[in-house]
């Protein structure tokens, strides 16, 4: 049976790989005894920290039949930035403005964007 020590927010843990010091000693050191290692669901990275492939996003919007309307609604400045970029982040105010305008009309836009993350 392994011993584990959780981080403060209980989102991750470390496994004790040494010999057992006994339940009391391990508990004093912050470890707990477990029958099986718990499954940890990775925390979702905020959209503003991700980099997206412009090409993949445009492809998805074309598949949904939305690209032509979106393209025609862009300001000249937004269109220039979009044409110049190979990828984009929502931390960029120009792209965040486009995202903010699209969000009410494309309910699954966050899911769509996560499918276009650059590795």
């Amino acid at each position: 049976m392994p011993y584990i020590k959780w981080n403060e927010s209980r989102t991750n843990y470390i496994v004790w790989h040494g010999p057992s010091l006994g339940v009391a000693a391990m508990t004093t050191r912050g470890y707990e005894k477990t029958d099986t290692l718990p499954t940890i669901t990775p925390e979702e990275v905020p959209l503003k920290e991700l980099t997206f492939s412009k090409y993949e996003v445009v492809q998805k919007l074309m598949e949904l039949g939305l690209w032509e309307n979106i393209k025609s609604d862009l300001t000249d400045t937004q269109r220039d930035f979009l044409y110049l970029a190979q990828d984009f982040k929502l931390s960029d105010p120009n792209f965040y403005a486009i995202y903010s305008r699209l969000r009410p009309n494309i309910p699954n836009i966050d899911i769509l964007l996560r499918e276009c993350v650059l590795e």
Side-chain angles (χ1 to χ4, degrees):
M1 285 189 207
Y3 284 90
I4 61 172
K5 182 190 285 188
W6 289 98
N7 66 354
E8 191 173 306
S9 60
R10 293 188 69 87
T11 56
N12 203 354
Y13 58 83
I14 57 172
V15 178
W16 174 264
H17 292 290
S20 174
L21 305 174
V23 176
M26 295 301 288
T27 303
T28 301
R29 288 190 163 105
Y31 286 87
E32 63 184 62
K33 195 173 188 178
T34 180
D35 292 327
T36 59
L37 295 177
T39 304
I40 297 175
T41 305
E43 291 184 35
E44 196 168 68
V45 178
L47 282 176
K48 282 193 172 188
E49 293 178 17
L50 299 172
T51 302
F52 305 99
S53 164
K54 179 187 79 172
Y55 179 77
E56 289 181 31
V57 171
V58 170
Q59 271 190 318
K60 288 205 179 281
L61 293 171
M62 289 173 90
E63 289 170 10
L64 295 171
L66 301 170
W67 176 240
E68 289 304 318
N69 287 339
I70 291 168
K71 190 169 63 168
S72 66
D73 285 343
L74 296 174
T75 66
D76 289 339
T77 303
Q78 289 172 333
R79 197 173 298 114
D80 289 343
F81 277 103
L82 190 61
Y83 287 139
L84 290 171
Q86 292 180 10
D87 54 49
F88 66 94
K89 288 184 146 210
L90 294 181
S91 57
D92 180 307
N94 295 299
F95 293 107
Y96 188 78
I98 296 170
Y99 166 79
S100 295
R101 285 184 39 213
L102 296 177
R103 194 167 182 200
N105 302 319
I106 306 172
N108 62 339
I109 192 166
D110 292 356
I111 295 168
L112 182 144
L113 285 173
R114 286 188 185 280
E115 292 172 357
C116 301
V117 172
L118 284 175
E119 298 296 323

